[in-house]
Amino acid sequence: MSWHEKKMYIASMVDKTPTTRKTKNSNSRRSDTKVYYLKVNDKKERVCLKTFLETLGIKEWTVRYWLGEKTTIDNESEPSAVVATETKKESARKYLMALPKLPSHYCRQSTSKLYLEPIIQTKSQLYGLYVDYSVSRNEPVASRKVFEGVLFEENMSLFQPKKDACDQCCAHKAGNMSDEQYIKHIELKDLARIEKTLDKEAARKGTIHALTADLQAIKLCPSLNASALYFKTKLAVHNFTIYNLGTNGVACYWFDETACDLKATTYASFLVDYLTKLLENDPKDVVLFTDGCTAQNRNNIVSNALLRLAMAKNIVITQKYLEKGHTQMEVDSVHSVIERKLKNREIFLPSQYATITKEARKVPSPYRVITPDHTFFKKLCS
């Protein structure tokens, strides 16, 4: 049966009779008694509620909800009620779409939801703000049930996404770190955040180039749902991403293990290639934000490669590292978008990752994808 047929069947198997006895001094709102039937040899036989529910495999609230909808389905003489409900749903949807939302970066492997800012803690608080907003603008107010239905349809949630756990924060929470050390750790984290914000504002004004860079989690090729593939040897594919804070431009370097391995010269080659093209048209100082991974960013090979480029272009290139455990950056949003695009997709060739990345973003501009081969990488020394 379809859902509509199920509703009609339930409605035909339940009779409502007026209550025959009222309890004295009672505030009960029950106006009728429900009598439940099941068909036995094409004959309706009366049964108890428990037998009725367990035979059909439904809950009591489903029966009550469907019986309440019966009059709405059959009553076509009051279309204004349906129109009013749709108007209220549109009002609730318009309000929710206007709220700022957070990407589901830290839950991207298990959910594709969008999260409202953590300022709002509960659905009751969110609904209260919606009511105040609608009343102040003389707009129709949706009921709590309709409002939460729209919240579900738009795939939004109040659940705060999980964050990368910081070892030092966890140690302090467990009582294994002194308050003085923890306070110093938080101060360094805040200083790094402030530094990145100031450089981002300077980049937006056009005085410097501010970049964030990071390596996406390893991808495998082929990537299929077939269980037999689990035991097969697969090719490791990597994506080194650079995000321009001033222009929101993104460059994704997709490469696999046949082109190069994960060593310092690999990342130095990516940075030198990107900066060389960037500085050809707009030569000015560069600030690069990364995490403190030694093999990837915090080593003399990468620093010397950037130093030689700075001397050749007559500019200053500054490397800045975020505090360990608190290295969330704008470049992480690129990886989040790509992984959402890759969800439930079958990958047979490494080149498919590059193709899907190009389709992942439209505004303000598509991601720029580079697929280097083994000739691209330079033999740099410390």
Side-chain angles (χ1 to χ4, degrees):
M1 291 184 181
S2 65
W3 284 108
H4 182 73
E5 291 171 340
K6 291 178 181 178
K7 292 178 184 179
M8 293 301 99
Y9 180 81
I10 294 297
S12 65
M13 291 291 106
V14 181
D15 290 342
K16 292 182 180 180
T17 60
T19 52
T20 57
R21 184 173 57 183
K22 296 287 186 181
T23 304
K24 189 176 181 180
N25 299 326
S26 174
N27 295 324
S28 174
R29 294 179 295 176
R30 187 166 70 90
S31 60
D32 54 43
T33 299
K34 296 180 178 64
V35 182
Y36 302 92
Y37 298 91
L38 288 175
K39 280 190 176 182
V40 181
N41 297 326
D42 294 330
K43 183 181 178 181
K44 292 174 66 174
E45 297 287 348
R46 183 172 177 175
V47 297
C48 66
L49 174 61
K50 184 176 180 181
T51 301
F52 183 81
L53 297 177
E54 293 188 356
T55 301
L56 298 178
I58 56 177
K59 301 291 185 181
E60 183 178 358
W61 67 266
T62 305
V63 176
R64 295 182 181 277
Y65 179 66
W66 283 353
L67 291 176
E69 279 196 340
K70 181 183 177 184
T71 55
T72 305
I73 295 172
D74 296 336
N75 187 7
E76 298 180 356
S77 61
E78 298 182 4
S80 59
V82 179
V83 174
T85 302
E86 291 299 323
T87 303
K88 293 176 181 178
K89 286 182 67 175
E90 190 60 32
S91 170
R93 183 175 288 105
K94 182 180 178 182
Y95 174 78
L96 290 173
M97 296 305 293
L99 294 176
K101 290 168 280 293
L102 298 173
S104 56
H105 168 58
Y106 295 101
C107 295
R108 59 178 179 253
Q109 292 182 350
S110 58
T111 181
S112 57
K113 284 183 179 293
L114 293 175
Y115 297 92
L116 301 180
E117 287 192 344
I119 299 172
I120 303 172
Q121 300 293 330
T122 63
K123 290 183 179 180
S124 298
Q125 181 186 1
L126 176 62
Y127 181 71
L129 294 173
Y130 159 70
V131 172
D132 295 340
Y133 174 82
S134 299
V135 170
S136 65
R137 299 171 65 91
N138 294 323
E139 295 181 355
V141 180
S143 66
R144 173 75 177 269
K145 183 177 181 180
V146 172
F147 182 79
E148 292 189 5
V150 175
L151 188 71
F152 177 79
E153 291 175 3
E154 296 299 327
N155 205 19
M156 298 179 190
S157 177
L158 299 180
F159 174 75
Q160 297 184 16
K162 299 176 183 177
K163 294 186 177 181
D164 291 341
C166 171
D167 295 340
Q168 298 185 58
C169 293
C170 292
H172 177 264
K173 187 176 181 180
N176 297 326
M177 176 184 284
S178 65
D179 292 338
E180 292 77 10
Q181 291 176 305
Y182 176 72
I183 292 173
K184 184 178 180 181
H185 168 66
I186 295 300
E187 287 177 351
L188 291 175
K189 180 207 70 170
D190 293 337
L191 288 174
R193 294 289 176 195
I194 294 172
E195 190 76 12
K196 186 165 72 68
T197 301
L198 294 175
D199 288 334
K200 184 175 181 178
E201 293 175 356
R204 293 287 172 85
K205 295 177 182 178
T207 57
I208 62 171
H209 292 299
L211 312 172
T212 61
D214 199 7
L215 185 70
Q216 188 174 356
I218 185 173
K219 298 297 173 187
L220 299 177
C221 180
S223 177
L224 306 173
N225 293 325
S227 58
L229 189 67
Y230 179 81
F231 303 97
K232 304 295 183 181
T233 301
K234 292 174 281 291
L235 191 67
V237 186
H238 308 280
N239 173 29
F240 184 77
T241 308
I242 303 176
Y243 188 105
N244 191 319
L245 297 178
T247 63
N248 293 327
V250 175
C252 297
Y253 291 85
W254 279 100
F255 66 103
D256 58 66
E257 56 186 330
T258 64
C260 194
D261 55 5
L262 299 179
K263 54 186 178 182
T265 56
T266 301
Y267 307 110
S269 299
F270 291 142
L271 293 172
V272 170
D273 177 74
Y274 180 87
L275 290 174
T276 300
K277 297 176 181 177
L278 179 67
L279 297 173
E280 284 179 358
N281 301 323
D282 191 8
K284 55 190 176 187
D285 293 348
V286 177
V287 177
L288 177 64
F289 283 91
T290 61
D291 56 30
C293 176
T294 304
Q296 182 177 323
N297 306 307
R298 205 166 190 163
N299 56 75
N300 55 2
I301 294 179
V302 172
S303 298
N304 285 334
L306 296 177
L307 175 60
R308 284 192 290 269
L309 179 63
M311 294 173 64
K313 299 293 183 179
N314 195 25
I315 60 167
V316 176
I317 300 177
T318 306
Q319 289 181 274
K320 296 183 179 181
Y321 308 101
L322 297 175
E323 180 66 10
K324 181 181 178 181
H326 302 274
T327 58
Q328 297 82 17
M329 298 175 286
E330 288 77 1
V331 71
D332 294 331
S333 65
V334 179
H335 299 161
S336 174
V337 172
I338 293 174
E339 292 200 17
R340 285 203 299 268
K341 196 72 174 179
L342 289 171
K343 195 171 184 179
N344 299 325
R345 298 286 290 268
E346 293 185 343
I347 303 296
F348 298 94
L349 298 171
S351 58
Q352 286 183 261
Y353 283 114
T355 303
I356 294 172
T357 300
K358 293 177 182 178
E359 303 170 354
R361 188 180 78 168
K362 302 296 182 183
V363 180
S365 61
Y367 296 147
R368 184 163 63 93
V369 179
I370 303 96
T371 54
D373 57 13
H374 68 280
T375 61
F376 171 87
F377 300 96
K378 312 299 181 184
K379 291 184 178 180
L380 304 173
C381 58
S382 59

